[in-house]
Amino acid sequence: PREAKCDEMRVSVSFLEIYNEELKDLLDPRPRQKRLYVHQHPKLGVYVPHLTEAAVASAKETFRLLDFGSKIRATAQTNMNSTSSRSHSVFTMRL
């Protein structure tokens, strides 16, 4: 088999929070008129329409976006931890 040569790779990331059964775009925290939702497509698989996908060119950019989104996640005090996360998040990297 012949190996394909790849000189260029496109990388994008998205960051999603699930909190109280609501989805929030952590890369674009502005309020939305329409709610985000999980969709399943027979060929594309599971995805969230209208979720921000940001192009990144380096690990530094990727970590900057991860840090940005992490700072706006929902947190609340619990008996065990004063800054416990009350949500789940999904950080996706597409190559």
Side-chain angles (χ1 to χ4, degrees), residues 11 31 33 41 44 46 51 53-54 59 75 93:
V11 181
Q33 290 185 356
H41 187 275
L44 300 176
V46 177
L51 181 64
E53 283 198 32
T75 58
M93 181 180 290

Side-chain angles (χ1 to χ4, degrees), residues 14-26 32-41 44-53 90 94:
S14 61
F15 201 7
L16 168 71
E17 175 182 51
I18 306 164
Y19 180 67
N20 285 337
E21 299 184 24
E22 298 244 350
L23 305 181
K24 180 179 180 180
D25 187 338
L26 293 175
R32 294 180 171 270
Q33 290 185 356
K34 291 185 177 182
R35 291 174 47 170
L36 293 174
Y37 61 94
V38 176
H39 184 75
Q40 187 165 358
H41 187 275
L44 300 176
V46 177
Y47 72 101
V48 178
H50 312 293
L51 181 64
T52 300
E53 283 198 32
V90 179
R94 292 187 192 275

Side-chain angles (χ1 to χ4, degrees), residues 13-89:
V13 298
S14 61
F15 201 7
L16 168 71
E17 175 182 51
I18 306 164
Y19 180 67
N20 285 337
E21 299 184 24
E22 298 244 350
L23 305 181
K24 180 179 180 180
D25 187 338
L26 293 175
L27 298 183
D28 184 6
R30 295 175 294 182
R32 294 180 171 270
Q33 290 185 356
K34 291 185 177 182
R35 291 174 47 170
L36 293 174
Y37 61 94
V38 176
H39 184 75
Q40 187 165 358
H41 187 275
K43 291 187 179 179
L44 300 176
V46 177
Y47 72 101
V48 178
H50 312 293
L51 181 64
T52 300
E53 283 198 32
V56 292
S58 67
K60 185 175 181 176
E61 273 185 76
T62 303
F63 284 114
R64 184 182 60 77
L65 291 173
L66 182 61
D67 184 56
F68 173 82
S70 295
K71 287 178 179 171
I72 58 175
R73 284 186 64 200
T75 58
Q77 186 168 356
T78 66
N79 291 336
M80 298 292 284
N81 186 338
S82 63
T83 57
S84 175
S85 173
R86 297 299 213 158
S87 67
H88 299 280
S89 63

